[in-house]
Amino acid sequence: MRVVSWTLAELAGPLSAAVGDSPDFRVLRPVAVDSDDPGGLTFCESRKYLRQLTAHAAGAVIVPPGLEVDRPHLIASKPRVAFETFLTMCRRPLPSRTGVHPTAIVDPLAEVDATASVGPYAVIEQGARIGAGVKVFPFCYVGENCVVGADTVLYPHVVLYQDVKVGARCVLHAHVTLGADGFGFRWDGRTQRKIEHVGGVLIGDDVEIGASSAVDRATAGATAVGDGVKLDNMVQIGHNARIGDHTVICGQSAVAGSSVLGERVTLAGQTGVADHVTVAGGVSFAARTLTTKDIPDPGVYYGVPARPLAEGLRIVARLPHLHERIEKLERGE
Amino acid sequence: MRVVSWTLAELAGPLSAAVGDSPDFRVLRPVAVDSDDPGGLTFCESRKYLRQLTAHAAGAVIVPPGLEVDRPHLIASKPRVAFETFLTMCRRPLPSRTGVHPTAIVDPLAEVDATASVGPYAVIEQGARIGAGVKVFPFCYVGENCVVGADTVLYPHVVLYQDVKVGARCVLHAHVTLGADGFGFRWDGRTQRKIEHVGGVLIGDDVEIGASSAVDRATAGATAVGDGVKLDNMVQIGHNARIGDHTVICGQSAVAGSSVLGERVTLAGQTGVADHVTVAGGVSFAARTLTTKDIPDPGVYYGVPARPLAEGLRIVARLPHLHERIEKLERGE
Amino acid sequence: MRVVSWTLAELAGPLSAAVGDSPDFRVLRPVAVDSDDPGGLTFCESRKYLRQLTAHAAGAVIVPPGLEVDRPHLIASKPRVAFETFLTMCRRPLPSRTGVHPTAIVDPLAEVDATASVGPYAVIEQGARIGAGVKVFPFCYVGENCVVGADTVLYPHVVLYQDVKVGARCVLHAHVTLGADGFGFRWDGRTQRKIEHVGGVLIGDDVEIGASSAVDRATAGATAVGDGVKLDNMVQIGHNARIGDHTVICGQSAVAGSSVLGERVTLAGQTGVADHVTVAGGVSFAARTLTTKDIPDPGVYYGVPARPLAEGLRIVARLPHLHERIEKLERGE
């Protein structure tokens, strides 16, 4: 593998930083603050980080103005942001080649832009349209009449069933499923009869969806995920749900059928929104929170059922002492 | 894509409905009640739906007898059921072709019925049997000695390890895993020693399993999922569990090893049944409920640990007020 | 399929057991204690098992010394351990063949050991190294610069993105994803900007990872899973987390970004560890437990938030009675 390196002087410009020391010192890669990698560049933005830095031997560090360090460093007003820029410079996309790999099976009635990359053993069905600059990695299945917008990446093993529209610049991670049937059955006295789902899925621009997450197709119409939404791994979005722009949903959370989330909602890990519930824009859920009712007001919520954070925390904090307090009263003290 | 349409007169028969108005009005697809699609047919069964309908412009609507509407409509005693029939008429199966695709790899010792469809890049191992009318979509792996019953559908990326028997008319969604090893280890003082799992998986008829769900193989014998069972996405069924007929398990729920669920159990989303637990037929769990003990009586349960619904709700409802009540007593009021 | 069978006399040696009766009796397979399989061998280690055994007709049984049974049997000091040895003897690996299948796509800059097996439709990217005796099953994607240690098994549909190192003798089940981007975004006032993840994943030796589980790549450095760790199905390990040796994590649990688990931690099903949390070695979580804070002391924990087991159970047990006790006090009794 080709090894890339940068001198601190070379990095100063791209990272909007000043060279604090040793402009010719070479770094090879970003590292955590507790790394001992002599070729690593890390960042330090607090006393806590400084302690870790001092105890370890990362080759160079990005520090804020006024912080003294004993090793090669860059000075930036926001070290973390400078470090994130360095991360972006170090990114190495998975290997892919423009064009359709000879083992990919593209239906004659599908359209693949000449600048797109369709990897080995991908299957693109009739009526599908793959936009400019799209990367379809191995083993992806892009079903009938699906549309993949410009510069979107489908990592290996993504499945789009049918009538799934994905916007531009999206990232779909391995084993994502978009457009599987919604979960709807009706007991007819003898069996659970399937309610057919004939709608689609509509994913906005700049959406990222984590490994093994799923967005079900709508009964009719479309399950809709807004622009800029970020879904972590193993997130489930039920049929006909609507997720507002720039909403962020962490791992192993679920939004059940027909629920509506506003813009910039944040759901922490392992949270849930039951079906047919509306959650206002700006709402945040702490980890493991669940609501089965509408949440009309922005704010942070916690618990099962979801309560405003301060109230939820208070209830939990008092819980261990209730018994003792009652006991004291019972003893007549 | 071919566009199909129906006049309301044409739909009246199949939907067991009367034409209320405009028999020649053409509809193209089912839509939600809040759709403005002029070619859409929706349904209305309540005041709430009527308000949404009136505020929107769906082309036509199915209404119950006696409900006045100002647009083309059908009249049915159960509008929702008539609508579901229309959904079924509109269903478009994913494209597949009878026969074995030339890129599929079928072991000479496997049997594939002549009426089955085995898609591109499917792998069928020795001793496997694929029944009449079965559809195996791309990238499925049907392992050694697996049996897939008539008219069952394996959507892309389904994995059956070995000795997995799937009944007739089942639907296995993308990324389902049946027959992976159960999770069993024994600490031997130095390492977690693997307990081998050499049993199989037995799936009944008319079972549907959602995207990225998994049913583990048994230690010995079989993990058994009964007829008519419906599992949503990301559901985990542990080794040697037994799931009774017509049971419904919603997303991100789990039944741990060796547990037994009776017939027509309903587990809402994100619920759990610990290992070696028996849950009676007819039990329902509200969302996020967990039991680590047997539940011998039918009924609805709620909470962690699972309690009868009314009791569980009461506890939760009183929780925020306990502190204030105790405080009042402490003040001697 | 070839049918293998053993006489009890043949099994006595490998199972460290004595033949209690009928040395020539032939058994075909391990079965559960409630099986009626006349060719089945089961085990019995308690009164409860004995009742089940007596009510059923498994052909033969392994019993402890001194337990009288009415059918062919073996006598072993630890019947369960002897049975587990029998399980190991009965294990039938999924079919695979040494060498690279002609449909596998191996980059010229990848190295595959001559004793490894690379199955149909696997993709191995540049710089990847596949060790001795490794089995790569169909549809696996082994990305750029990934390393797979000796005798590790990648079941169908495993995805390793890039810079993922897996140790020796590991088992990765179907649909596992290692090395997808960590979940990190920064709101810049207009959009959620992606924080690139350029680190890797480091999996120790003797690790098993269940179906549809995921370990995200680090921001920088590596997300690290120690030797002998066992992860069940649908487990999520966040970016930069570190999981100590021999830790066991059950289904649908998650360890969020940058958290550190010590050695021999046990997390039961549906549990969670929030981000940037440290959990000491020897800690166990009961099912559904969640911590958002460090847990410095070994022991068993329960609840949300995690509390020492006895305390957690006490709180839950008293909960239903608090209201009645307060009511009594309110009435002045």
Side-chain angles (χ1 to χ4, degrees):
Chain A
M1 180 172 54
R2 189 173 58 104
V3 173
V4 186
S5 71
W6 298 263
T7 64
L8 293 185
E10 285 166 356
L11 288 177
L15 271 52
S16 304
V19 183
D21 197 1
S22 316
D24 298 329
F25 187 84
R26 287 202 163 267
V27 293
L28 293 159
R29 64 187 72 85
V31 295
V33 72
D34 61 353
S35 165
D36 295 315
D37 185 340
L41 173 65
T42 188
F43 74 102
C44 180
E45 55 173 11
S46 68
R47 291 283 139 200
K48 180 182 165 195
Y49 273 57
L50 186 56
R51 274 195 306 275
Q52 291 188 276
L53 181 75
T54 314
H56 290 274
V61 60
I62 310 168
V63 294
L67 189 73
E68 300 276 313
V69 284
D70 59 351
R71 70 191 81 184
H73 60 279
L74 291 168
I75 302 165
S77 58
K78 295 184 176 171
R80 182 184 289 268
V81 172
F83 184 73
E84 286 172 11
T85 303
F86 185 49
L87 289 175
T88 303
M89 293 172 65
C90 293
R91 188 174 169 265
R92 223 167 72 240
L94 296 202
S96 66
R97 257 182 231 164
T98 300
V100 175
H101 192 276
T103 62
I105 298 180
V106 178
D107 189 277
L109 297 178
E111 291 171 31
V112 176
D113 189 276
T115 62
S117 150
V118 177
Y121 303 128
V123 170
I124 317 276
E125 292 285 13
Q126 62 198 42
R129 298 206 309 272
I130 308 293
V134 166
K135 292 181 185 181
V136 177
F137 279 96
F139 314 114
C140 286
Y141 176 90
V142 179
E144 196 184 16
N145 297 324
C146 291
V147 178
V148 180
D151 296 319
T152 282
V153 176
L154 274 60
Y155 280 113
H157 290 252
V158 167
V159 175
L160 313 185
Y161 271 58
Q162 195 182 42
D163 302 327
V164 174
K165 288 181 178 42
V166 179
R169 297 173 305 278
C170 293
V171 178
L172 307 186
H173 282 284
H175 303 118
V176 158
T177 303
L178 304 185
D181 292 345
F183 194 65
F185 301 91
R186 171 192 301 289
W187 179 252
D188 71 359
R190 205 185 53 84
T191 187
Q192 307 284 2
R193 289 176 65 90
K194 182 174 176 66
I195 296 170
E196 296 293 347
H197 284 68
V198 304
V201 172
L202 199 54
I203 306 286
D205 295 331
D206 302 298
V207 171
E208 182 154 346
I209 304 184
S212 293
S213 286
V215 181
D216 286 349
R217 68 195 309 178
T219 315
T223 306
V225 173
D227 292 339
V229 167
K230 311 297 177 186
L231 307 181
D232 198 356
N233 299 344
M234 303 171 209
V235 168
Q236 151 72 359
I237 307 294
H239 59 96
N240 289 82
R242 297 206 303 267
I243 311 296
D245 294 350
H246 308 297
T247 282
V248 173
I249 303 184
C250 297
Q252 299 182 330
S253 295
V255 177
S258 299
S259 285
V260 178
L261 269 58
E263 296 193 8
R264 293 203 63 203
V265 169
T266 303
L267 303 184
Q270 300 183 331
T271 54
V273 174
D275 58 298
H276 294 89
V277 164
T278 297
V279 174
V283 163
S284 290
F285 275 15
R288 203 65 80 74
T289 295
L290 169 72
T291 190
T292 58
K293 297 189 177 155
D294 290 354
I295 301 202
D297 300 315
V300 185
Y301 293 80
Y302 171 69
V304 183
R307 294 190 170 97
L309 180 66
E311 183 187 336
L313 287 177
R314 214 160 38 222
I315 291 173
V316 165
R318 287 166 175 166
L319 204 47
H321 313 294
L322 297 176
H323 165 78
E324 281 71 17
R325 292 168 66 191
I326 296 175
E327 210 172 34
K328 221 169 156 185
L329 288 163
E330 287 169 339
R331 284 196 307 267
E333 299 180 30
Chain B
M1 180 171 55
R2 188 174 58 105
V3 173
V4 186
S5 71
W6 300 262
T7 63
L8 293 185
E10 286 165 354
L11 287 176
L15 271 52
S16 305
V19 184
D21 197 2
S22 316
D24 297 330
F25 187 84
R26 286 201 164 267
V27 293
L28 292 159
R29 62 187 73 86
V31 295
V33 71
D34 62 352
S35 164
D36 295 315
D37 184 340
L41 174 65
T42 188
F43 73 102
C44 180
E45 55 173 10
S46 67
R47 291 283 137 201
K48 181 184 162 192
Y49 272 59
L50 186 58
R51 273 196 305 276
Q52 292 189 275
L53 181 77
T54 315
H56 290 275
V61 60
I62 309 169
V63 294
L67 188 75
E68 298 276 312
V69 285
D70 59 350
R71 70 191 83 185
H73 61 278
L74 291 167
I75 301 164
S77 58
K78 295 184 176 172
R80 182 184 289 268
V81 172
F83 184 73
E84 287 172 10
T85 303
F86 185 49
L87 289 175
T88 303
M89 294 172 63
C90 293
R91 186 173 171 267
R92 221 167 74 238
L94 296 202
S96 66
R97 256 180 234 167
T98 300
V100 175
H101 192 276
T103 63
I105 297 179
V106 178
D107 189 277
L109 296 178
E111 292 171 31
V112 176
D113 189 277
T115 62
S117 150
V118 177
Y121 302 128
V123 169
I124 317 276
E125 292 285 11
Q126 60 199 43
R129 299 207 309 270
I130 308 292
V134 166
K135 292 181 184 181
V136 177
F137 280 96
F139 313 115
C140 286
Y141 176 89
V142 179
E144 197 185 13
N145 296 325
C146 291
V147 178
V148 180
D151 297 319
T152 282
V153 176
L154 274 61
Y155 280 114
H157 290 253
V158 167
V159 175
L160 313 185
Y161 271 57
Q162 194 182 42
D163 302 327
V164 174
K165 289 181 178 40
V166 179
R169 299 173 303 280
C170 293
V171 178
L172 307 186
H173 282 284
H175 302 120
V176 158
T177 303
L178 303 185
D181 292 345
F183 194 65
F185 301 90
R186 172 192 302 288
W187 179 250
D188 70 359
R190 205 184 52 85
T191 187
Q192 307 284 1
R193 289 176 65 90
K194 182 173 176 69
I195 297 169
E196 296 292 346
H197 284 68
V198 305
V201 171
L202 199 54
I203 307 285
D205 295 331
D206 303 299
V207 171
E208 182 154 346
I209 303 184
S212 293
S213 286
V215 181
D216 286 349
R217 68 195 308 179
T219 314
T223 306
V225 173
D227 292 339
V229 167
K230 311 297 178 185
L231 307 181
D232 198 355
N233 299 344
M234 302 171 211
V235 168
Q236 152 72 358
I237 306 295
H239 58 98
N240 289 83
R242 297 207 303 267
I243 311 295
D245 294 351
H246 309 297
T247 281
V248 173
I249 303 184
C250 297
Q252 298 182 331
S253 296
V255 177
S258 299
S259 285
V260 178
L261 269 59
E263 296 193 8
R264 293 204 62 203
V265 169
T266 303
L267 303 184
Q270 300 183 332
T271 54
V273 174
D275 58 298
H276 294 89
V277 164
T278 297
V279 174
V283 163
S284 290
F285 275 15
R288 203 65 79 74
T289 295
L290 170 72
T291 192
T292 57
K293 296 188 178 156
D294 289 354
I295 302 202
D297 299 314
V300 184
Y301 294 81
Y302 171 70
V304 183
R307 295 190 171 95
L309 180 66
E311 183 187 336
L313 286 177
R314 212 157 42 219
I315 290 173
V316 165
R318 286 165 176 169
L319 205 47
H321 313 295
L322 297 176
H323 165 79
E324 281 71 18
R325 292 167 66 191
I326 297 175
E327 209 172 36
K328 222 170 154 183
L329 290 163
E330 287 169 337
R331 285 197 306 267
E333 297 178 31
Chain C
M1 180 171 52
R2 188 173 59 105
V3 172
V4 186
S5 71
W6 299 263
T7 64
L8 293 185
E10 286 166 354
L11 286 176
L15 270 52
S16 305
V19 183
D21 197 2
S22 317
D24 297 329
F25 187 83
R26 286 202 164 267
V27 293
L28 292 159
R29 61 187 75 84
V31 295
V33 71
D34 62 351
S35 164
D36 294 315
D37 184 340
L41 173 66
T42 187
F43 73 101
C44 180
E45 55 172 11
S46 68
R47 293 282 138 201
K48 181 182 164 195
Y49 273 58
L50 186 57
R51 274 197 304 276
Q52 291 189 273
L53 180 77
T54 316
H56 290 275
V61 60
I62 310 168
V63 294
L67 188 74
E68 299 276 313
V69 285
D70 58 351
R71 70 190 83 183
H73 61 280
L74 291 167
I75 301 165
S77 58
K78 294 185 177 170
R80 182 185 288 268
V81 172
F83 184 73
E84 286 171 11
T85 302
F86 185 49
L87 289 174
T88 303
M89 293 172 64
C90 293
R91 186 173 171 265
R92 220 166 75 238
L94 296 202
S96 66
R97 257 181 232 166
T98 300
V100 175
H101 192 276
T103 63
I105 297 179
V106 178
D107 189 277
L109 296 178
E111 291 171 32
V112 176
D113 188 277
T115 61
S117 149
V118 177
Y121 302 129
V123 170
I124 317 275
E125 292 286 12
Q126 60 198 43
R129 300 207 308 271
I130 308 293
V134 166
K135 293 181 183 181
V136 177
F137 279 95
F139 313 115
C140 286
Y141 176 89
V142 179
E144 196 184 15
N145 296 325
C146 291
V147 177
V148 180
D151 296 319
T152 282
V153 176
L154 274 61
Y155 279 113
H157 290 253
V158 167
V159 175
L160 313 185
Y161 270 58
Q162 195 182 43
D163 301 328
V164 174
K165 288 181 178 43
V166 179
R169 298 173 305 277
C170 293
V171 178
L172 307 186
H173 282 284
H175 302 119
V176 159
T177 303
L178 303 185
D181 292 345
F183 194 64
F185 302 91
R186 172 192 301 288
W187 179 251
D188 70 359
R190 205 184 53 84
T191 187
Q192 307 283 3
R193 290 175 67 88
K194 182 174 176 67
I195 297 169
E196 295 294 345
H197 283 68
V198 305
V201 171
L202 199 55
I203 306 285
D205 295 330
D206 302 298
V207 171
E208 182 154 346
I209 303 184
S212 293
S213 287
V215 181
D216 286 349
R217 69 195 307 179
T219 315
T223 306
V225 173
D227 292 340
V229 167
K230 311 297 179 185
L231 307 181
D232 197 355
N233 299 344
M234 303 172 210
V235 168
Q236 151 72 357
I237 307 294
H239 58 98
N240 289 83
R242 298 206 303 267
I243 310 296
D245 294 351
H246 308 297
T247 281
V248 173
I249 303 184
C250 297
Q252 298 183 332
S253 295
V255 177
S258 298
S259 285
V260 178
L261 270 57
E263 296 193 9
R264 293 204 62 204
V265 169
T266 303
L267 303 184
Q270 299 183 332
T271 55
V273 174
D275 57 298
H276 294 88
V277 164
T278 297
V279 174
V283 163
S284 291
F285 274 15
R288 202 66 80 75
T289 295
L290 170 72
T291 190
T292 58
K293 296 187 178 156
D294 290 355
I295 301 200
D297 300 315
V300 185
Y301 293 81
Y302 171 69
V304 182
R307 295 191 171 96
L309 180 65
E311 183 187 337
L313 287 176
R314 214 159 40 221
I315 291 173
V316 165
R318 288 165 175 168
L319 205 46
H321 313 295
L322 297 176
H323 165 79
E324 281 72 16
R325 291 167 66 191
I326 297 176
E327 209 172 36
K328 220 168 156 186
L329 289 164
E330 287 169 339
R331 284 196 307 268
E333 298 179 31

